[in-house]
Amino acid sequence: QVQLVESGGGLVQAGGSLRLSCAVSGGTFSSYAMGWFRQAPGKEREFVAAISWSGGSTYYGDSVKGRFTISRANAKNTVYLQMNNLKPEDTAVYYCAAEVAILPASSADEYDYWGQGTQVTVSS
């Protein structure tokens, strides 16, 4: 069984930073493309960022491009999301996801495994 566990969420003021972590167990982490998604109340799950299995290719949603950075440490079975210059509209539950693919998809429907989510709240 593949498990993903997010951590690092919390309350931060606008303009601040957080780093989310996603620890993966029960699978071959280096074979997965990894993604981050978020969902606010009443809204659809939104693509945030993704990274290829090798870490050589990264992708970002338009709303976070230039502010967020995704990275992975395959030796630690962990993917990160560094979030800078946070805005109140970034408030959401953030989910880590894994896809058995070389290149990641931006659609949540394409991902095979999901974490439980971690709450990020940005105050104005």
Side-chain angles (χ1 to χ4, degrees), residues 11 16-17 27 30 40 44 49 55 69 75 83 89 94 98 103 106:
L11 175 65
S17 299
S30 60
E44 296 293 322
T69 302
M83 304 185 294
E89 51 263 44
Y94 283 71
L103 296 177
S106 60

Side-chain angles (χ1 to χ4, degrees), residues 12-29:
V12 64
Q13 290 185 312
S17 299
L18 286 173
R19 189 176 79 156
L20 305 183
S21 298
C22 175
V24 180
S25 63
T28 305
F29 178 76

Side-chain angles (χ1 to χ4, degrees), residues 51-59 72 103:
I51 189 167
S52 64
W53 68 270
S54 67
S57 299
T58 57
Y59 310 87
R72 65 191 297 161
L103 296 177

